[in-house]
Amino acid sequence: MIEIELKMLLPDGAAAEALLASPALAAAACGPARRRALRSIYFDTPDGRLRAAGLALRLRKDGGRWLQTVKRAGAAAGAGGLFAPEEAETAAPGGRIDLSRLADPALREAVEAARGDAPLAAVFESVIDRRMRDLEMPSGRVELAVDVGELVAGERRAALVEAELELKAGAPEAVYEAARAVMGEGAWRFSERSKAARGHALAAGAPALPPPGARKAATVPLRRGTTAEAAAVAVLRETLAQIDANAAACLAADDPKGSHQLRVGLRRLRSALRLFRPAVGGPAAEALNDRARILARRAGALRDLDVQIDEVLRPAAARGGPDGAGFEALAEALERRREAARADLRAALAGPEGRGLLLDLSAFVALRGWLDPADHAQTARLSEPAEALAGRALDRLWKKVRQAAEGFDDLDAEARHRLRKALKTLRYGVEFLGPLFRAKKLRAFRRRLKRLQAAFGALNDAAVAEATFAGPDAPCPEDPRAQRAAGRLLGGLALAAEAEWREARADWDALRAETPFWR
């Protein structure tokens, strides 16, 4: 049997209680609430053969009876919180593993083949208080289970607090309908690890679940011959994982890296949707792009203040000198704005704007939200080799860069900004699609592109500082010390930007002369 489950990690027991008591759940639930005490013991061979084969074997005490269960992870398990494992469950009289009783011959044979002649032993266990409600959705019936408990491996323990939506009847869309109905707010994040994976990590001495923290972009290992649709799915899953992780980081702590990587993730999502538009474009993709742009503006507002305070003003104030007090006054004034921007971003991330984007993006990827029965040519576009789509997409991006760079020496501030954006979009395209091409040529192109972008960093810093300290809402307008400091700061940044721009000419000439690696 294939299960379809959407799993979310909750920050703590208070969040679990709030979910169970929420008006949204009360409005969506049908039937009585149920509660069960569950103890599950997970088994494997001493060298972890079942885990290596993607199998989980457990004994579970449910009330007064014992059950044995085998699960085999499906493709992309945990992507966007969605799991679709194969599962076989049978009675286990006396609380003993008996593989001969497993009714699913394929799973039984898989366990026996992976195990070989090795003994089975308990590795860890979970002790859970589970509370459940049934939700009747337009597309089917879904069970919400809220688990609060812990994982135990020897002397090591880890808290376990999560919500799981499991399809009981109907279409997979029902799981997302239920999630939108009852998980539209809160500080949850998608679970990318099953309980079994967390327990094995704990038993090995690693954290069962790393705490929320900033997550950088990861390379998607695309291969030639992959279909355009499969490549789009892999890239979109990666952007979803980055956005989800950094949204959690922003909600949990004040680390500036979280807002920075959140903005990067949202930009990467928008770039991916444009790159793969021929395969997965349409109204749903456009709606996701628009919503990501709005949320990225909120993240960008906080990120810009982080940079101005932590990377510009505080170091200048620490150096002292005649303008030190002015720099400190500017930093204190911007600190109040930063707190307001952080509160605004957190409210958006924990509310329907942020939660809805995560759920809808996960559903878009998992349920192939781009399919259009009326588009008879879509199948051909989805099944073409990814490298063919990649070559055309990178050609378009490269053409836009070259057009934006025309008259390079005479570009004004606005034109330089357009060129910087075009280069950034090209960079994301190269990062996503580069693995489809020869690594040696890719490295050379990326190296030149990175150098050119570094020069544009100084231009962006100067532009943001100009808007912040010389705009209509400039801080400390009545403080002469602060105004002198701001003037000195803007002058220094302008000189640095011009020096970088002069050096950028050589970098641009080198990049333009490079044969694009995708040709």
Side-chain angles (χ1 to χ4, degrees), residues 5 15 36 175 395:
E5 308 162 338
R36 290 157 62 183
V175 173
D395 269 338

Side-chain angles (χ1 to χ4, degrees), residues 89-101:
E89 186 172 80
T90 54
R96 292 186 297 273
I97 292 288
D98 183 354
L99 299 179
S100 67
R101 298 177 63 89

Side-chain angles (χ1 to χ4, degrees), residues 38-40 42 124-128 150-152 160 195:
L38 303 174
R39 179 189 174 210
S40 300
Y42 289 77
F124 65 93
E125 66 179 82
S126 64
V127 181
I128 294 170
E150 64 178 354
L151 296 167
V152 182
L160 188 156
K195 292 183 181 69

Side-chain angles (χ1 to χ4, degrees), residues 394-415:
L394 291 171
D395 269 338
R396 287 195 302 272
L397 297 180
W398 182 231
K399 182 179 179 181
K400 289 182 179 179
V401 168
R402 291 178 68 92
Q403 289 174 338
E406 288 182 2
F408 192 94
D409 293 325
D410 300 319
L411 295 179
D412 59 19
E414 184 176 347

Side-chain angles (χ1 to χ4, degrees), residues 376-385:
H376 301 297
Q378 187 178 48
T379 299
R381 296 197 303 274
L382 293 174
S383 59
E384 80 165 330

Side-chain angles (χ1 to χ4, degrees), residues 183-186 188 190 240 243-244 247 251 266 291 295 298 345-361:
M183 306 295 294
E185 298 188 29
W188 55 263
F190 288 126
L240 171 58
I243 294 166
D244 180 42
L251 288 168
L266 291 163
R291 293 160 65 187
L295 191 57
R298 296 184 189 276
L345 177 61
R346 283 177 170 164
L349 291 174
E353 181 180 338
R355 301 299 90 182
L357 177 61
L358 288 173
L359 289 171
D360 289 348
L361 178 54

